[in-house]
C-alpha cells in the first residue's frame, strides 16, 4: 500500500473500532491488529489514538453537515425545509449508523470540538435563521428563534438516537411524527408564553 492508501485503511479500521467499542475502550493495539500492521504504523500516521479519532470524527461531522446543509438549501416553504432536514438526519443515521454511534458517544477528555453537541449547535444556528423569518411572518418575536431552533434540533437528534436502536418504525414514519409535533407545535405558539403553574 502507498502511504495515503494505508492512512485511509487505518481510518476505516479505526472508525469500526470506535463505533464498536467507543473511544475509551478502543486501543491502538486492536486497531493495528485489525489493520494487520504494527502499532508504530498507527503512531506514524496519526500520532496515537486521539489523532486517529479526531480525523474519524471530523469526517463524520462533515458528512452529516453536508447532508443537512443540502436539505436546507433552496427556496422551499418552511415546513418542507423542516421535513427535508429531519429526513437528512435520519438518512445519515440509517446509512452511517457506525458514524452516528461515534458522534453521539462522549468525546475524549479535554476535547472541546467534534462532539455531537457541537454538530447540533451548528445545525441549530442554520435552523435559527429560517425560524426567525417564519416567526416574523407570523407576528411572533424573532428573538426567540434560537431557543426554538435548539428545541427542534434536540428533539430530532434524541429521537434519532432512540430510533437507531429500535427500528420499529420506518424512517418516513419517524420523520412524519417529528414534523407533525414540531410544525403543529410551532403553529400554536403563544406570542408571550408563560407558565400557568409558576411560583408566586
Amino acid at each position: 500500500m502507498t502511504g495515503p492508501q494505508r492512512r485511509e485503511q487505518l481510518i476505516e479500521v479505526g472508525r469500526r473500532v470506535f463505533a464498536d467499542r467507543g473511544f475509551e475502550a478502543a486501543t491502538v493495539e486492536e486497531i493495528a491488529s485489525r489493520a494487520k500492521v504494527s502499532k508504530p504504523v498507527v503512531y506514524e500516521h496519526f500520532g496515537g489514538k486521539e489523532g486517529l479519532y479526531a480525523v474519524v470524527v471530523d469526517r463524520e461531522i462533515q458528512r452529516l453537515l453536508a447532508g443537512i446543509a443540502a436539505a436546507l438549501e433552496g427556496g422551499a416553504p418552511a415546513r418542507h425545509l423542516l421535513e427535508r432536514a429531519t429526513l437528512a438526519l435520519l438518512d445519515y443515521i440509517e446509512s452511517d449508523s457506525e458514524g452516528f454511534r461515534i458522534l453521539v458517544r462522549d468525546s475524549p477528555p479535554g476535547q472541546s470540538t467534534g462532539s455531537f453537541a457541537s454538530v447540533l449547535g451548528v445545525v441549530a444556528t442554520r435552523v435559527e435563521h429560517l425560524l426567525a423569518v417564519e416567526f416574523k411572518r407570523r407576528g411572533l418575536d424573532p428573538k426567540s428563534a434560537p431557543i426554538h431552533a435548539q428545541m427542534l434540533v434536540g428533539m430530532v437528534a434524541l429521537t434519532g438516537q432512540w430510533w437507531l436502536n429500535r427500528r420499529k418504525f420506518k424512517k418516513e414514519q419517524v420523520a412524519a411524527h417529528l414534523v407533525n409535533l414540531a410544525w403543529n407545535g410551532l403553529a400554536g405558539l403563544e406570542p408571550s408564553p408563560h407558565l400557568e403553574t409558576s411560583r408566586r
Side-chain angles (χ1 to χ4, degrees):
M1 281 189 188
T2 64
Q5 288 171 330
R6 177 66 72 196
R7 180 179 172 82
E8 288 304 311
Q9 180 213 18
L10 290 171
I11 291 169
E12 265 313 300
V13 170
R15 183 178 185 267
R16 285 194 298 273
V17 173
F18 292 132
D20 291 345
R21 301 198 176 280
F23 176 80
E24 292 298 332
T27 64
V28 171
E29 289 86 355
E30 181 175 2
I31 293 164
S33 174
R34 286 201 199 182
K36 297 183 175 28
V37 297
S38 63
K39 285 193 330 185
V41 173
V42 178
Y43 287 108
E44 177 187 329
H45 282 276
F46 302 101
K49 181 173 76 167
E50 293 80 4
L52 176 56
Y53 181 82
V55 171
V56 169
V57 167
D58 185 60
R59 285 192 178 188
E60 293 307 320
I61 289 172
Q62 295 311 314
R63 191 173 290 145
L64 174 56
L65 287 179
I68 292 173
L72 293 174
E73 284 177 1
R79 179 175 175 135
H80 294 177
L81 292 174
L82 177 60
E83 289 178 5
R84 290 183 349 206
T86 300
L87 276 170
L89 177 60
L90 295 176
D91 283 341
Y92 173 78
I93 293 169
E94 183 178 59
S95 64
D96 270 314
S97 56
E98 282 185 346
F100 186 71
R101 286 183 201 283
I102 291 167
L103 290 180
V104 298
R105 283 197 172 106
D106 291 337
S107 298
Q111 185 168 325
S112 59
T113 60
S115 68
F116 192 52
S118 68
V119 175
L120 295 182
V122 171
V123 174
T125 301
R126 294 184 184 191
V127 171
E128 177 184 318
H129 299 298
L130 298 171
L131 285 179
V133 170
E134 188 68 16
F135 280 18
K136 196 177 272 190
R137 191 179 71 75
R138 292 176 180 223
L140 298 168
D141 183 5
K143 290 178 185 170
S144 68
I147 300 169
H148 290 88
Q150 292 291 333
M151 290 186 286
L152 277 173
V153 171
M155 178 177 74
V156 173
L158 283 174
T159 305
Q161 283 182 265
W162 170 84
W163 180 66
L164 176 64
N165 298 313
R166 298 171 189 84
R167 300 290 179 96
K168 292 180 180 178
F169 298 93
K170 292 181 180 175
K171 176 177 58 182
E172 289 74 16
Q173 289 176 306
V174 175
H177 282 284
L178 280 165
V179 172
N180 183 35
L181 176 61
W183 189 256
N184 289 315
L186 288 171
L189 284 182
E190 299 171 345
S192 301
H194 64 281
L195 300 175
E196 290 186 5
T197 59
S198 62
R199 297 176 187 152
R200 299 192 181 270

